[in-house]
Amino acid sequence: MWSICHPQSENELNECAVLGKTLNRLTQPSILAVLANAGKPLHGYVIIQEMAAGPMYGGSSPDPTGIYRILKQMEHNGLVQSEWDTSESGPAKRCYVLTDAGRACLRRWIDSLACYCASIQELRTLSSYALGIEVPDQPVCHAIDIALDEDASA
């Protein structure tokens, strides 16, 4: 559902910062989920591709430098382990696998995300009430464009 409202261009992002480019605080659970779903060691670039294909990034590739930095920190914290894969021709590639601590962390994230959802729903209700509208079941992202057009013509 997030991809419905995901900015389609930098210009669209600049028009309304509320669209956000990504929910960057959710990068760690996204990495954990990709690794848990894979069930096998993954190269960093495969993790990035899987994340780009998921709902958080709406088809856009996350910043590789940021992902590798987070993976390094996650390894330091014991959430993932890595080893060099030299089986293919070409340069060695680091592969990452989820640890038991990483699985436990992902389980905690599931509960945290449920709390985020409840808080977001509460904010949606409060905001809709303030505007005198019903809380939409589905996002109506073009309403942002309409509001911007109305402001521009005023």
Side-chain angles (χ1 to χ4, degrees):
M1 182 164 70
W2 170 247
S3 60
I4 295 171
C5 292
H6 209 288
Q8 300 301 309
S9 67
E10 287 296 318
N11 188 41
E12 189 175 314
L13 176 64
N14 292 334
E15 287 175 0
C16 188
V18 73
L19 293 174
K21 192 162 189 177
T22 62
L23 299 175
N24 61 1
R25 291 187 177 161
L26 301 180
T27 301
Q28 180 181 350
S30 296
I31 292 170
L32 292 170
V34 165
L35 288 171
N37 280 316
K40 63 180 183 178
L42 293 179
H43 296 263
Y45 70 86
V46 173
I47 294 170
I48 292 167
Q49 289 174 336
E50 291 293 320
M51 290 174 69
M56 288 297 303
Y57 291 91
S60 298
S61 182
D63 173 44
T65 304
I67 298 301
Y68 285 111
R69 185 174 41 250
I70 292 169
L71 281 165
K72 185 176 182 177
Q73 184 62 47
M74 290 171 67
E75 184 169 24
H76 176 75
N77 293 340
L79 303 177
V80 300
Q81 287 180 332
S82 70
E83 58 184 44
W84 289 103
D85 177 8
T86 57
S87 64
E88 296 178 16
S89 63
K93 297 174 184 159
R94 190 173 290 275
C95 286
Y96 298 87
V97 65
L98 201 58
T99 64
D100 289 341
R103 288 190 178 286
C105 183
L106 181 56
R107 177 60 187 95
R108 287 191 307 273
W109 266 109
I110 292 168
D111 291 335
S112 292
L113 291 170
C115 291
Y116 288 175
C117 286
S119 296
I120 290 168
Q121 186 58 36
E122 190 175 315
L123 180 57
R124 290 181 75 228
T125 300
L126 178 66
S127 300
S128 295
Y129 177 78
L131 293 177
I133 62 172
E134 295 289 322
V135 178
D137 291 332
Q138 295 291 319
V140 185
C141 296
H142 61 57
I144 294 169
D145 296 332
I146 294 167
L148 290 173
D149 290 342
E150 289 172 359
D151 289 343
S153 64

